[in-house]
Amino acid sequence: DADVTQTPRNRITKTGKRIMLECSQTKGHDRMYWYRQDPGLGLRLIYYSFDVKDINKGEISDGYSVSRQAQAKFSLSLESAIPNQTALYFCATSDFRGHGYTFGSGTRLTVV
Amino acid sequence: SQQGEEDPQALSIQEGENATMNCSYKTSINNLQWYRQNSGRGLVHLILIRSNEREKHSGRLRVTLDTSKKSSSLLITASRAADTASYFCATDRSSGNTPLVFGKGTRLSVIA
């Protein structure tokens, strides 16, 4: 099994729908992150969590929310999807030092 | 906002040649990390260099860091077709325990 598992791998959804992207990790790390990747823009941080009781907004949190259900699980929700949220979404985890993030394989989300 | 900026945006070389990618960043850092991404896949951590280090090696990878110029370079020696990927630098901020901020990446194509 992969260290960081993201589901679904691909998703097409309609404008206005609520959608949840899920992430689970087996690294035993406290820190988890959600990034978004758009062509030519690199990765941008949406939300991050340094432990189960800690949730922090990143650079582009508007339109998104997260839930840290357990040390191993960190979900990202789009409450009302819009087309400009079409992107590749990555979950990552790291130890307390933040050295060497481990990424999931990504969720390709298309909002039509 | 992007902390790191890679240069060039794209690089095409012949197999066996060396590939050099550069990264510039804006604020003081604790460490700088390089990641690799195969097309549409999750990022993979390559190497980390601390702010008090000037050079680091890992196999065919050589990373340098010049904190006075706020820049780093990644050298891949004797490149192979399998090195074809996008390469990203990522930095934290020395002001606190912060998530990594990624640059926009360099797309490397190694032609056999």
Side-chain angles (χ1 to χ4, degrees):
Chain A
D1 288 342
D3 291 329
V4 180
T5 302
Q6 291 184 237
T7 57
R9 289 297 307 276
N10 295 281
R11 180 75 180 265
I12 300 173
T13 193
K14 294 184 178 180
T15 297
K17 292 290 188 181
R18 183 179 188 276
I19 182 168
M20 178 182 288
L21 309 184
E22 301 193 27
C23 176
S24 63
Q25 53 106 351
T26 59
K27 298 286 286 186
H29 290 162
D30 286 327
R31 298 188 171 194
M32 298 187 74
Y33 314 86
W34 276 104
Y35 286 89
R36 164 180 172 160
Q37 185 176 33
D38 297 273
L41 292 180
L43 275 74
R44 292 181 291 167
L45 182 66
I46 306 172
Y47 270 97
Y48 64 101
S49 170
F50 280 176
D51 65 45
V52 174
K53 298 180 181 178
D54 177 70
I55 299 288
N56 302 282
K57 293 182 178 180
E59 178 188 358
I60 54 164
S61 60
D62 286 349
Y64 301 94
S65 63
V66 291
S67 173
R68 185 79 185 267
Q69 301 96 321
Q71 184 200 41
K73 295 184 182 297
F74 192 35
S75 300
L76 176 73
S77 292
L78 287 69
E79 297 301 325
S80 179
I82 57 177
N84 77 0
Q85 291 178 313
T86 293
L88 187 53
Y89 290 85
F90 287 105
C91 174
T93 185
S94 77
D95 66 14
F96 71 96
R97 301 169 303 170
H99 293 184
Y101 285 21
T102 301
F103 281 81
S105 297
T107 293
R108 187 170 298 279
L109 177 66
T110 303
V111 183
V112 298
Chain B
S1 60
Q2 236 70 32
Q3 160 76 319
E5 290 286 339
E6 290 89 343
D7 172 64
Q9 291 185 351
L11 179 61
S12 183
I13 60 173
Q14 297 288 325
E15 204 167 32
E17 294 180 338
N18 296 340
T20 300
M21 289 158 270
N22 303 297
C23 170
S24 60
Y25 57 92
K26 298 174 184 175
T27 65
S28 296
I29 61 173
N30 290 316
N31 65 74
L32 184 145
Q33 304 182 33
W34 285 91
Y35 288 78
R36 165 195 168 123
Q37 182 185 32
N38 288 82
S39 181
R41 306 293 298 275
L43 280 71
V44 175
H45 178 252
L46 295 176
I47 194 166
L48 177 151
I49 185 164
R50 292 182 171 81
S51 60
N52 62 355
E53 297 177 310
R54 292 296 167 259
E55 186 171 315
K56 201 162 183 180
H57 296 252
S58 177
R60 293 184 296 112
L61 305 181
R62 172 178 169 252
V63 171
T64 62
L65 180 64
D66 186 335
T67 53
S68 67
K69 295 181 180 179
K70 291 186 170 58
S71 68
S72 174
S73 67
L74 171 67
L75 169 67
I76 303 174
T77 60
S79 63
R80 307 166 181 167
D83 294 328
T84 295
S86 291
Y87 292 82
F88 296 86
C89 68
T91 55
D92 63 357
R93 294 179 196 269
S94 64
S95 59
N97 207 349
T98 59
L100 292 179
V101 178
F102 287 80
K104 296 179 182 180
T106 292
R107 292 192 312 279
L108 173 65
S109 297
V110 181
I111 302 165

